[in-house]
Amino acid sequence: MSSTLCVESSLMDKAVSSFEPNGTTCSNSVNPQQRFLAITNIEAEMQIEMFDVIFCISLASFVAFILRRKYALWRTENVCILTFMFSTVYRSYYISDEGAFLCYKAASIWNSCFSGRLIATFGEFSILHFILLKMELHKYPNVYYSTMLLCAFAETLSWFGCICRNSKFFSVEYVCWNLLLCIIVCSNLRHRMIAARLLLSVIIIFNFVVEIPHFWHYERDSQQQ
């Protein structure tokens, strides 16, 4: 605990010093805006470290999956899961927070909100198609096409959120995702897949408790100031 505090203290000093002439710090001369920016820099550095861990895990899983399924990579379900895993690897390396409209590394075309949203769109359609295949819901046209249409609507809302820079679109997007996940959980109950249904139920609860309220009440830093 103490080592963590020391690290955060040193990061604070370093971040604040960037706003001081000649790189010197003086606690009496640091105004609230400078301190706010310093804290934001610390949070960004910590999030980058977290995403570096996620990137390593995602990349290792991606490579392991390719090696394990190398003779059957072109099967539909494998293409779907590979596309989703690639989107996870990409978005954990080129970090952008679409909800906060921020890039946590040097801004470029690769980690812009547009690039992240484009990669996520392919990844999310792919993982949905994979789930529907595995739970044999592609055999039920009403279920398959209704969930796909809900996914398309959710992705459209997410794009509007990026373009309009309004995080409330992301909240409504998660409501759509919860609705389509509820349809999946409650469909084709004879094909048990109990573990998968429980996992999807946990995701639904998490979205309702965390994601939807977060994006609905979120305000950008510039709005807070």
Side-chain angles (χ1 to χ4, degrees):
M1 184 69 177
S2 60
S3 61
T4 303
L5 293 174
C6 289
V7 170
E8 292 186 0
S9 177
S10 63
L11 285 172
M12 174 70 81
D13 290 340
K14 183 174 71 172
V16 172
S17 67
S18 63
F19 300 103
E20 296 297 324
N22 301 323
T24 60
T25 60
C26 178
S27 58
N28 295 329
S29 64
V30 178
N31 63 43
Q33 184 178 7
Q34 290 173 340
R35 184 161 293 276
F36 172 81
L37 291 172
I39 293 171
T40 302
N41 288 343
I42 292 171
E43 292 175 348
E45 287 190 34
M46 293 176 70
Q47 290 190 13
I48 288 173
E49 292 176 359
M50 179 187 71
F51 275 104
D52 285 341
V53 174
I54 296 173
F55 168 72
C56 292
I57 295 172
S58 301
L59 183 60
S61 301
F62 183 69
V63 173
F65 184 86
I66 291 175
L67 294 175
R68 186 176 178 183
R69 304 290 180 91
K70 58 184 176 182
Y71 298 114
L73 282 179
W74 299 112
R75 290 181 181 174
T76 303
E77 62 269 22
N78 290 338
V79 171
C80 288
I81 199 66
L82 275 174
T83 304
F84 175 72
M85 292 174 75
F86 172 77
S87 73
T88 304
V89 172
Y90 183 97
R91 284 162 61 79
S92 59
Y93 184 77
Y94 293 109
I95 312 166
S96 65
D97 186 340
E98 295 156 21
F101 314 103
L102 294 172
C103 296
Y104 287 110
K105 292 184 178 179
S108 69
I109 189 173
W110 304 109
N111 68 347
S112 66
C113 288
F114 174 83
S115 300
R117 189 67 251 150
L118 182 64
I119 295 295
T121 299
F122 283 104
E124 288 166 6
F125 268 111
S126 297
I127 193 61
L128 175 60
H129 186 60
F130 174 81
I131 292 170
L132 293 172
L133 287 176
K134 285 299 182 181
M135 299 186 72
E136 298 187 357
L137 294 175
H138 63 292
K139 298 178 181 178
Y140 301 87
N142 290 339
V143 175
Y144 181 84
Y145 289 112
S146 62
T147 52
M148 279 294 179
L149 282 173
L150 278 169
C151 182
F153 185 60
E155 295 301 323
T156 302
L157 288 168
S158 191
W159 276 101
F160 270 108
C162 289
I163 294 169
C164 300
R165 300 175 72 82
N166 187 334
S167 63
K168 286 183 171 57
F169 281 106
F170 300 121
S171 281
V172 184
E173 176 203 359
Y174 276 103
V175 172
C176 292
W177 274 105
N178 275 1
L179 180 58
L180 74 84
L181 290 177
C182 285
I183 293 173
I184 292 172
V185 169
C186 298
S187 300
N188 193 19
L189 294 176
R190 289 175 295 181
H191 187 65
R192 294 190 174 182
M193 300 285 288
I194 296 174
R197 294 179 199 276
L198 286 174
L199 177 60
L200 294 178
S201 299
V202 170
I203 294 173
I204 291 170
I205 294 170
F206 178 81
N207 287 345
F208 268 127
V209 173
V210 179
E211 297 287 11
I212 293 173
H214 166 71
F215 283 117
W216 187 261
H217 297 292
Y218 177 83
E219 289 185 355
R220 284 182 290 154
D221 297 336
S222 59
Q223 293 173 325
Q224 292 173 356
Q225 293 176 358

